[in-house]
Amino acid sequence: MARYDFTTPRLHVDAPLAEGGSVALDAGRTNYLRNVLRLAEGAEVLLFNGSDGEWRARIAKVAKKASELTCVERTREQEKLPDLVYLFAPLKHARLDYMVQKAVEMGAGRLAPVFTQHTQATRINLERMRANVVEAAEQCGVIAVPEVCEPAKLERVIDGWSADEPGRRLIVCDESAPVGSPIETLLALTPGPLGLLIGPEGGFSREEREMLLGHEAVVPVSLGPRILRADTAAVAALAVVQAACGDWR
Amino acid sequence: MARYDFTTPRLHVDAPLAEGGSVALDAGRTNYLRNVLRLAEGAEVLLFNGSDGEWRARIAKVAKKASELTCVERTREQEKLPDLVYLFAPLKHARLDYMVQKAVEMGAGRLAPVFTQHTQATRINLERMRANVVEAAEQCGVIAVPEVCEPAKLERVIDGWSADEPGRRLIVCDESAPVGSPIETLLALTPGPLGLLIGPEGGFSREEREMLLGHEAVVPVSLGPRILRADTAAVAALAVVQAACGDWR
């Protein structure tokens, strides 16, 4: 996979992208362009929409509440995101934002918040989470914005797991698993769609652990001898999974 | 390695720890005990000093500016920290604090700030960094406080690398390395002392890269196809190293 240019600002847009095509930005995105990125007419940005690849585009017009860009040339072909669903018990506020950004940066293809018995947060601001995912995708250069699923109870997600997507394995980071490197376990998996579940900071409840460990799709792994905070565990687990059976190979 | 109790507050102390022994806390630590942890006489904490293991201790006296604890029983034997030196180009302020905490949590045995040509920060508050390391060690349950080295220029560190510690390999996360999983490379290393170098966000300069790649101790690895922020790269690289050749095994 080619390295991308990460000095030029990147913007996710909904519009189709094609050579010479024009893309209009609304007031919010125009404000970002003018007042955050401080760009003026003639400056260049990178655009992506998740289906037409990444394009170098030039700012054709900037007014106070609207702007227009012209696609110049395609800089990257469209690729699919890794087929990796990242399931996580939401944390509170800033640490949740952080965890979501890191998951995007580490190449999660879909984000699925799950409520467990010991989950700290009881409600989720999905709009904020989605905006956060878009921003992270723009900044870290991934070529599409990962989907954010509606939050659901862990029990329901696990109940429907194999029926919804037969064959998708679910790697579960379980702090009660005997300490041992996850690498051998992960290298032994047949290539295919994956899920990765990080529990809440209070750990899974006994019932949840039994439900998980009894499920045919579940692959329990340890993340070493130290207790990790949930945001650290997210990056650590995604790194090991991407390195052993994801797109680092 | 045994799991530790992480619901009881932990304190790092300099005093020796032994059964029935008494440990005096100064005004600063007493303030932390009373006003942050909100503990009173009779409450229990865990103490560690990096050489006598971890002890359950009871608060015997708390006054405004001093307090005294009594060691009750040893809860963990002393262990050595992983023989892993984590070398990093300092970031600015809050993100540096965060990176340092994560390195401790991921089991770095020694922290070595290095200045590279593209390093953002030009000075380091070592006292703040050391306090941060102590706090992280207390919270994440490691049994000793990792040493923080004096900052040095990358060039000097690399010049003296093999003379200072013959046989210590230096894993270098190099974003110009061809993308490929680091796991095979890491699994093939002979067990022994390690260093892990994460470059600055601007990347290494051309001269630095040449110096590193030409060094006999250096093992270059890729961290996948996405550009990671330095704090993400720290956790990701430490996870893969601990899993493949560190204490996750």
Side-chain angles (χ1 to χ4, degrees):
Chain A
M1 202 182 292
R3 297 287 175 175
Y4 54 85
D5 169 8
F6 70 115
T7 54
T8 307
R10 290 177 91 238
L11 287 177
H12 177 263
V13 292
D14 289 321
L17 302 172
E19 197 167 333
S22 180
V23 175
L25 299 185
D26 65 12
R29 301 299 271 170
T30 299
N31 178 53
Y32 180 67
L33 206 68
R34 281 165 57 113
N35 299 320
V36 181
L37 300 177
R38 299 184 169 279
L39 298 177
E41 283 169 20
E44 290 190 339
V45 298
L46 296 171
L47 300 180
F48 66 109
N49 63 4
S51 53
D52 300 324
E54 180 188 80
W55 288 77
R56 189 159 61 79
R58 189 166 297 131
I59 302 175
K61 280 188 232 163
V62 191
K64 219 164 176 184
K65 304 217 159 172
S67 50
E68 207 179 291
L69 298 94
T70 309
C71 291
V72 179
E73 67 166 346
R74 178 143 44 190
T75 48
R76 285 165 68 198
E77 295 293 319
Q78 187 62 41
E79 288 163 19
K80 280 190 181 165
L81 292 181
D83 191 1
L84 174 61
V85 185
Y86 170 63
L87 300 98
F88 58 103
L91 304 169
K92 288 189 178 171
H93 313 298
R95 291 186 57 224
L96 177 59
D97 293 346
Y98 188 90
M99 193 166 70
V100 163
Q101 286 161 27
K102 294 303 173 202
V104 174
E105 208 176 316
M106 293 302 298
R110 200 194 312 163
L111 277 69
V114 290
F115 291 116
T116 69
Q117 290 181 20
H118 299 162
T119 296
Q120 293 179 339
T122 49
R123 284 191 304 174
I124 289 182
N125 183 337
L126 263 193
E127 206 177 320
R128 175 176 168 155
M129 192 180 287
R130 288 191 173 124
N132 205 348
V133 165
V134 170
E135 194 182 318
E138 290 177 340
Q139 290 180 2
C140 77
V142 298
I143 193 80
V145 172
E147 182 194 347
V148 178
C149 305
E150 290 289 328
K153 285 195 173 173
L154 177 63
E155 205 184 315
R156 270 192 52 195
V157 173
I158 300 303
D159 264 354
W161 188 264
S162 293
D164 291 349
E165 296 187 272
R168 187 180 289 275
R169 307 301 296 270
L170 179 59
I171 299 161
V172 175
C173 299
D174 176 17
E175 57 189 42
S176 76
V179 171
S181 170
I183 286 184
E184 226 166 284
T185 309
L186 294 174
L187 288 178
L189 289 183
T190 322
L194 289 176
L196 170 65
L197 169 62
I198 308 279
E201 302 225 309
F204 294 112
S205 71
R206 199 163 54 84
E207 299 81 47
E208 286 170 340
R209 184 166 286 120
E210 277 169 16
M211 170 184 70
L212 288 167
L213 297 183
H215 196 287
E216 54 174 12
V218 165
V219 181
V221 297
S222 151
L223 292 179
R226 287 165 291 278
I227 300 282
L228 305 180
R229 298 187 69 160
D231 51 341
T232 316
V235 177
L238 284 163
V240 174
V241 169
Q242 293 286 28
C245 37
D247 69 0
W248 286 18
R249 292 155 72 87
Chain B
M1 200 183 290
R3 297 285 174 175
Y4 54 85
D5 169 8
F6 69 114
T7 53
T8 308
R10 291 176 91 238
L11 287 177
H12 177 263
V13 293
D14 289 322
L17 302 172
E19 196 167 333
S22 178
V23 175
L25 298 186
D26 65 14
R29 301 300 270 170
T30 299
N31 177 55
Y32 179 67
L33 206 67
R34 283 166 58 113
N35 300 320
V36 180
L37 299 177
R38 299 184 169 280
L39 298 177
E41 282 168 22
E44 289 190 340
V45 297
L46 296 171
L47 301 179
F48 66 109
N49 62 6
S51 53
D52 300 323
E54 181 188 80
W55 288 76
R56 189 159 60 79
R58 189 165 298 130
I59 302 175
K61 280 186 233 166
V62 192
K64 218 164 176 185
K65 304 217 160 174
S67 49
E68 207 179 290
L69 297 95
T70 309
C71 291
V72 179
E73 67 166 347
R74 176 141 48 189
T75 47
R76 283 166 71 198
E77 295 292 318
Q78 187 61 42
E79 287 164 18
K80 279 189 180 162
L81 292 182
D83 192 1
L84 175 60
V85 186
Y86 170 62
L87 300 99
F88 59 102
L91 303 169
K92 286 188 179 172
H93 313 298
R95 292 187 57 223
L96 177 58
D97 293 348
Y98 187 91
M99 191 165 72
V100 163
Q101 287 161 26
K102 294 302 174 202
V104 174
E105 207 176 317
M106 294 301 300
R110 201 196 310 164
L111 276 69
V114 290
F115 290 116
T116 69
Q117 289 181 20
H118 299 161
T119 297
Q120 292 180 340
T122 50
R123 284 191 305 175
I124 290 182
N125 184 337
L126 263 192
E127 206 177 322
R128 174 175 169 157
M129 191 180 288
R130 288 190 173 124
N132 204 350
V133 166
V134 170
E135 194 183 319
E138 290 177 340
Q139 291 179 3
C140 77
V142 298
I143 193 80
V145 172
E147 181 194 347
V148 178
C149 305
E150 291 289 328
K153 285 195 173 171
L154 177 63
E155 204 184 315
R156 269 192 53 195
V157 173
I158 300 303
D159 264 355
W161 187 264
S162 293
D164 291 350
E165 295 187 90
R168 186 180 290 275
R169 306 302 297 270
L170 179 58
I171 300 161
V172 175
C173 299
D174 177 17
E175 57 189 43
S176 77
V179 171
S181 171
I183 286 183
E184 227 166 282
T185 309
L186 295 174
L187 288 177
L189 289 182
T190 322
L194 288 177
L196 170 64
L197 169 61
I198 308 279
E201 302 225 310
F204 294 113
S205 71
R206 198 163 55 85
E207 300 80 44
E208 286 170 340
R209 184 166 286 122
E210 277 170 16
M211 171 183 71
L212 287 167
L213 297 184
H215 197 287
E216 53 174 14
V218 165
V219 181
V221 297
S222 152
L223 293 179
R226 286 165 292 278
I227 300 282
L228 305 180
R229 297 187 69 159
D231 50 343
T232 316
V235 177
L238 284 162
V240 174
V241 169
Q242 294 287 27
C245 38
D247 69 0
W248 286 19
R249 291 154 74 87

